[in-house]
Structures are given as structure tokens and as C-alpha cells.
Amino acid sequence: MTVSREVVLEGHIIDSGMMESSFGTIMDLGGSFTVEEFDIGRRKDEESYARLLVEAEDEATLQSILHELHQHGANPADPKDAKLQSAPADQVVPKGFYSTTNHPTYIRYDGAWLEVEHMEMDCAVVVEDGGEPRAYTKVLNAVEEGDRIVTGETGIRVDPPSRPRDSGGAFGFMQGGVSAERPSESTIQKIAGAIEETKRDGGKVLAVCGPALIHSGAREDMAHLVREGYVDMLSAGNGFAVHDIERDLYGTSLGVDTETLDHARHGHKHHIYAISEVIREGGIEAAVESGTIESGVMYECIENDRPFVLAGSIRDDGPLPDTITDAVEAQNAIREQAHEADMVLMLSTLLHSVAVGNCLPSTTRVVCVDINPSTVTQLLDRGSAQAVGMVTDIGTFVPMLAEQLE
């Protein structure tokens, strides 16, 4: 005896590969399907619709198939209200709670669809009804006893970003994945156009930067982007800020002159000297105000009121007083910053880019740049549909981007 359920696919399901991946998922997991209705969009801007009858030999297999289909954006044809259970204790979610994707998600509550706020992956969904019902995500360590948590997958609709054939505007190019052979100048020109469009629309650009940006000599160009308002927020680690400040105080980055590539005498001590000077001043802002720090990315952040988050790690020297050393506190600061971003530049830092990427909805535009192809691929594979990757030297990319923006 077989069991079955109807699901629907809507949007640009052919161009995005949603239909193909759904068919493959059903067959790979031991099920079968019948296409009961299929309406194909006849023009580039028209969406398509498909209704499938999914069958399996038992309920467990069917639920496994439906779970995977749900991640691709296939939704039940006959939605019911979502199931809610109260959290039994702080930081404890009910068994079988719904773990979110990073795609736009809706919860059916009292017969109406509620959009889930602050969308990000690997969270629980909390539903409140204080007169005006709302649904929003919570990380597990923020769950409080009594929170009404969505469980199972009934009454949940996931809408992955569409990928129409005709993608116009400055963001139209951000659908091509990763390529080391894509012409760098033309791609950088399009990225510059996307930044300008974001700014014209009142959006915010977040730069996630690694120390390699300073080591490669791109410091002055990144400082220029911050000063001129092309970058609104900065997310980095202790090392990025340390070497940026070291360059200002001693003319080196990790003891190396970034212009001549000469190793300065006792240069290996410069970074720890830089940290001690900032600690002596009481922080980066105080060091800027006193005139100790006179240039660089952190200097421009202070002078132009660009907020930054420096998240620490176990390997940090010092660290700087501005570095957040509590992991949960740092994660919350990154999350708050990421939710404000409309476009994110991930520049030669795998770990911080992954941290920020975990907090982003799939609708946020993302540009990943690194000299290592596997880094770019790993970042884009984390689920952002609106992303582009460039495999190139960050010391070449940032100056060219600054030039295009000017």
C-alpha cells in the first residue's frame, strides 16, 4: 500500500533547476511522482507552475521525501496551520522543531500566512500572538521557556529567490556562480554598478575583510571606499584591525613593508607594539582622537562613523580592546549587523565570511573574492542564490573596484 501527497512548485522553476532537482530527489529517495498539472511561462518574465503527486511505499519514506522537497521550495498543495509547541526550558527546543533554511519563509497561523522575520539558516521559528501575530527566527541559545516553537513541516512555505532568464539591472549578473576565467575588469565594473545601485536605493553595503587585504597592499583603497561611503559597515577579526593599525604606525603589515616588500628590522614585533599602543590609549577611537592613529581603514571607520564589529578568536594576540572576545556576544553583534546589510562583500576571509553568511537571508546580494577557488566555492555553496564569486588576488580586486566606483 502506497501513501501520497500533492506538492506544488511555483516561480522560475525551470531556469532555477528547481523542477529537475525535485524530480531527482523523489527518485533518489525511493519515491515516484506524477505531474498532475504543468503550466509553463511563455515569456521570459512569466513564472511556471507544477502540481505533483508524490508517492512512497510508507509514511516514513514519504516524509523524508517531502522534507527534502521542502528545502527546494516545493510546498504542500493543501496547507494546514503550522504546529506549535512550547519550549520546555531556556535554550531547549521541542523535539522535531523546524530548523530554518535561509530562504524567505512563511508560517500559516489561524488560516493566514505570516512572513518569518529576520530570516537566517539553522534557527527555530517563534510565533507570538499579542493581538498582532508575528513569526520570527531565534537561535537556539536565545530560546526562552514558553516560547511557541514551530515543529514539523506542516503549514510552512519556503520561497527560494527566483532566477528568471532575463535578469536585468545592475544585479542581473549575480547568477553565474564561480569562475576564475570570467573577465575581471568587466565583472568588477558590474560589481561597482551593483554597489552604486544599492546606495541609490538607500541600502547598506557590508564589507567582511581578512588580513590578506592589508598584507596585499589594498589598505588605502579600502580606506577610500569607507571614507567615500561605498562601504557602510565593516566586519572583521582582531588581526585585520591590528595589521591595519600596524601599517599606520610602523609602515608594515606583519613586519613587511607592503610597498617595497622589505622585511623591516624587528618587524615581527610591530603588530604586538601596535596592539600595546592601542591598549595604552584605551581603544581605537581614543587612539584616533589623540592622533596616534592617522590613517587606514579603522581610522576612516571612526572618522566617518562607520560601525564595525571585530570578532575575536582563540589565536588572537592582545587582543585590541575593541575586539569582542565572548563568542556568543560576537555572534549576536555579527547577526545584528548582517540583518542591516543589503549587499555584502566577502574579501579574503573564509571564517568570518562563513560567520556572516550564516546570518544572511538568501535574498541578500553577496560578492565573494579570494585567491583560493575552494574558499569561494565553499562560501557560495552555503545557500545564497543571489551571489557571485571571483577567484582573484584581493590586492588587485579592491584597487580596481575603487577605480571603477570613481
Side-chain angles (χ1 to χ4, degrees):
M1 178 179 176
T2 60
V3 290
S4 62
R5 190 76 50 80
E6 284 188 336
V7 299
V8 296
L9 304 171
E10 298 178 274
H12 295 279
I13 60 178
I14 301 175
D15 304 319
S16 65
M18 184 192 300
M19 174 170 283
E20 181 182 0
S21 62
S22 296
F23 289 171
T25 295
I26 295 170
M27 292 184 288
D28 290 344
L29 295 180
S32 60
F33 64 90
T34 302
V35 179
E36 297 187 324
E37 185 178 352
F38 189 21
D39 184 12
I40 304 176
R42 303 296 178 180
R43 295 194 300 269
K44 290 182 178 181
D45 59 344
E46 288 185 343
E47 298 183 347
S48 301
Y49 172 91
R51 179 163 51 87
L52 312 180
L53 180 67
V54 181
E55 297 180 293
E57 293 182 355
D58 53 66
E59 187 65 27
T61 302
L62 180 62
Q63 289 303 318
S64 177
I65 294 172
L66 294 176
H67 173 79
E68 292 299 323
L69 289 178
H70 190 259
Q71 309 304 304
H72 294 298
N75 297 295
D78 54 342
K80 299 178 176 62
D81 280 356
K83 297 178 181 178
L84 304 176
Q85 291 186 35
S86 296
D90 289 350
Q91 301 185 6
V92 179
V93 292
K95 289 186 177 181
F97 79 101
Y98 175 73
S99 178
T100 59
T101 69
N102 62 350
H103 297 312
T105 302
Y106 299 82
I107 302 300
R108 193 169 179 85
Y109 180 73
D110 280 349
W113 290 105
L114 300 177
E115 183 174 4
V116 179
E117 304 168 17
H118 308 308
M119 203 63 228
E120 63 178 277
M121 65 175 69
D122 302 329
C123 291
V125 177
V126 177
V127 176
E128 286 186 1
D129 191 356
E132 188 71 29
R134 58 187 290 251
Y136 55 90
T137 60
K138 263 193 179 184
V139 292
L140 298 193
N141 62 32
V143 168
E144 299 175 277
E145 181 179 357
D147 279 346
R148 296 199 299 168
I149 308 293
V150 175
T151 60
E153 295 188 25
T154 301
I156 303 169
R157 192 177 82 223
V158 176
D159 291 340
S162 61
R163 296 177 181 173
R165 286 186 293 271
D166 185 16
S167 300
F171 292 106
F173 77 104
M174 301 183 78
Q175 317 248 350
V178 182
S179 174
E181 299 178 0
R182 183 181 296 139
S184 295
E185 187 171 358
S186 62
T187 304
I188 292 173
Q189 186 177 28
K190 292 175 181 177
I191 292 172
I195 292 174
E196 290 174 333
E197 183 175 313
T198 298
K199 299 301 297 178
R200 280 197 303 271
D201 293 341
K204 293 184 178 181
V205 178
L206 168 64
V208 186
C209 302
L213 190 150
I214 307 297
H215 303 331
S216 64
R219 171 180 178 264
E220 281 66 34
D221 291 288
M222 177 53 67
H224 172 80
L225 295 179
V226 173
R227 180 171 59 252
E228 298 302 320
Y230 294 113
V231 169
D232 300 280
M233 302 175 288
L234 177 76
S235 182
N238 183 70
F240 174 86
V242 167
H243 297 302
D244 173 61
I245 295 168
E246 176 196 344
R247 182 73 176 89
D248 175 68
L249 298 180
Y250 303 103
T252 61
S253 178
L254 206 59
V256 177
D257 188 308
T258 56
E259 293 182 4
T260 66
L261 300 184
D262 291 335
H263 290 259
R265 183 174 175 79
H266 301 305
H268 63 284
K269 299 181 180 181
H270 285 175
H271 76 285
I272 204 70
Y273 289 164
I275 293 170
S276 68
E277 289 299 317
V278 176
I279 293 175
R280 184 176 292 110
E281 294 280 357
I284 297 173
E285 183 175 359
V288 170
E289 291 177 350
S290 71
T292 299
I293 299 174
E294 298 180 328
S295 69
V297 180
M298 303 311 301
Y299 171 86
E300 297 296 346
C301 285
I302 297 297
E303 286 290 281
N304 296 282
D305 197 25
R306 314 283 188 231
F308 60 85
V309 173
L310 301 180
S313 73
I314 195 66
R315 61 191 187 282
D316 286 338
D317 289 323
L320 294 167
D322 304 80
T323 300
I324 304 172
T325 56
D326 182 286
V328 174
E329 183 184 346
Q331 187 182 94
N332 289 336
I334 288 174
R335 176 171 292 107
E336 182 177 347
Q337 190 182 55
H339 287 171
E340 295 183 20
D342 299 284
M343 182 175 179
V344 180
L345 305 176
M346 297 179 172
L347 307 175
S348 287
T349 170
L350 175 60
L351 296 181
H352 274 82
S353 294
V354 168
V356 173
N358 284 347
C359 302
L360 295 174
S362 60
T363 50
T364 301
R365 278 89 178 198
V366 176
V367 175
C368 304
V369 183
D370 201 286
I371 196 66
N372 186 343
S374 63
T375 295
V376 178
T377 301
Q378 182 174 344
L379 292 172
L380 297 193
D381 281 350
R382 298 190 69 79
S384 181
Q386 303 285 352
V388 65
M390 283 192 66
V391 180
T392 189
D393 174 36
I394 196 66
T396 300
F397 173 83
V398 174
M400 289 181 68
L401 178 62
E403 181 180 353
Q404 289 291 341
L405 286 168
E406 288 304 302

